[in-house]
């Protein structure tokens, strides 16, 4: 009897460890539902600013104080590192002819929701060039005791996309083929938003 008790205890303990080391499967959809207006506002503000002068933003550490800012000047890209609270960040935005107050507001909005990266991504749909906004979110719910930290990558499309009955993103020209963006196999949040959980922020 004791033998079976030990086996049961061992199995229960193993299951407890596995459960504690996984993140909630519904995290992306719940996170989006709770923060939809904020996420959509960040996406829209970024898109408008990007259309005037392309750039991308990456928070480099968990305190969300230091960023890598990619300035896009014609065919040349410059990446600078800033403390967002220091004057050098504002001065550099002005020097490169960005709307400094609007960009700084975007940075603060990202920081408030733990959006660690945002960028525009080019992709093709039926041989037609399109753009999407991709952002990554850091959250303690995505931390795994065995595997470490993961990111929730959210992808915002311009138009509704095809997904199968399991919520997997499909190729528009071949509905039997799963499609990837930046190597990520996307799942459905809604018809225009997909997600992936990844060890990398993009």
């Amino acid at each position: 009897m004791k033998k079976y008790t030990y086996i049961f205890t061992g199995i229960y303990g193993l299951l407890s460890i596995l459960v504690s080391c996984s993140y909630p499967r519904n995290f992306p959809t719940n996170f989006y539902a709770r923060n939809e207006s904020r996420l959509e506002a960040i996406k829209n503000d970024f898109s408008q600013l990007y259309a005037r002068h392309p750039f991308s933003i990456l928070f480099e550490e968990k305190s969300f104080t230091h960023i890598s800012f990619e300035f896009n000047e014609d065919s040349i890209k410059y990446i600078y590192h800033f403390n967002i609270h220091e004057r050098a960040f504002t001065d550099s935005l002005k020097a490169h002819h960005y709307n400094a107050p609007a960009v700084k507001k975007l940075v603060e909005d990202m920081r408030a929701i733990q959006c660690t990266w945002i960028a525009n991504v080019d992709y093709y749909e039926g041989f037609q060039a399109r753009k999407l906004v991709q952002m990554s979110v850091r959250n303690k719910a995505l931390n795994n005791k065995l595997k470490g930290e993961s990111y929730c990558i959210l992808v915002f499309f311009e138009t509704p996309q095809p997904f199968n009955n399991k919520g997997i993103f499909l190729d528009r020209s071949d509905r039997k083929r799963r499609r990837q963006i930046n190597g990520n196999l996307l799942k459905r949040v809604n018809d225009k938003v997909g997600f992936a959980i990844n060890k990398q922020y993009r």
Side-chain angles (χ1 to χ4, degrees):
M1 186 68 181
K2 287 184 178 181
K3 178 181 179 181
Y4 290 111
T5 301
Y6 292 145
I7 292 174
F8 177 78
T9 303
I11 293 173
Y12 180 80
L14 179 61
L15 289 174
S16 297
I17 292 172
L18 292 174
V19 169
S20 68
C21 291
S22 62
Y23 55 82
R25 289 178 178 270
N26 57 354
F27 171 82
T29 51
N30 286 348
F31 179 82
Y32 181 85
R34 289 196 308 270
N35 300 285
E36 180 176 2
S37 59
R38 299 169 74 186
L39 289 166
E40 291 290 337
I42 289 171
K43 183 259 294 183
N44 292 334
D45 290 345
F46 171 75
S47 295
Q48 292 173 10
L49 290 167
Y50 185 94
R52 298 174 198 161
H53 200 159
F55 65 98
S56 65
I57 299 171
L58 168 67
F59 278 96
E60 299 176 330
E61 30 65 68
K62 293 181 180 180
S63 70
F64 285 84
T65 302
H66 294 86
I67 63 170
S68 291
F69 193 97
E70 182 180 275
F71 298 91
N72 292 3
E73 303 290 349
D74 297 323
S75 59
I76 302 175
K77 296 180 180 180
Y78 302 92
I79 299 177
Y80 291 100
H81 304 273
F82 299 102
N83 181 318
I84 60 174
H85 302 301
E86 293 181 354
R87 181 63 182 262
F89 180 41
T90 303
D91 290 345
S92 295
L93 290 172
K94 292 178 179 177
H96 287 270
H97 308 293
Y98 285 88
N99 183 335
V103 171
K104 292 186 72 175
K105 178 183 180 301
L106 174 66
V107 167
E108 288 300 327
D109 290 343
M110 290 173 61
R111 188 174 188 236
I113 206 169
Q114 294 189 303
C115 174
T116 192
W117 179 67
I118 191 166
N120 242 9
V121 177
D122 296 323
Y123 74 104
Y124 285 86
E125 191 175 273
F127 301 104
Q128 183 178 358
R130 293 187 179 276
K131 291 185 181 296
L132 56 82
V133 174
Q134 185 168 317
M135 64 176 78
S136 298
V137 173
R138 219 172 192 157
N139 192 285
K140 63 182 181 180
L142 300 175
N143 292 344
N144 186 303
K145 291 181 180 179
L146 295 179
K147 297 180 180 179
E149 185 177 34
S150 295
Y151 297 86
C152 177
I153 299 171
L154 293 169
V155 175
F156 296 80
F157 293 93
E158 298 172 328
T159 57
Q161 299 295 309
F163 294 85
N164 67 16
N165 57 3
K166 294 183 179 179
I168 303 296
F169 179 42
L170 300 176
D171 189 282
R172 189 178 292 279
S173 60
D174 181 1
R175 299 301 176 90
K176 294 182 179 180
R177 185 173 67 184
R178 297 180 177 186
R179 189 173 177 193
Q180 297 182 358
I181 297 291
N182 269 9
N184 295 311
L185 181 63
L186 297 179
K187 294 185 178 180
R188 184 182 186 276
V189 173
N190 59 43
D191 287 346
K192 296 175 67 175
V193 181
F195 79 89
I197 303 297
N198 202 330
K199 299 297 294 179
Q200 305 297 323
Y201 65 87
R202 61 178 176 180

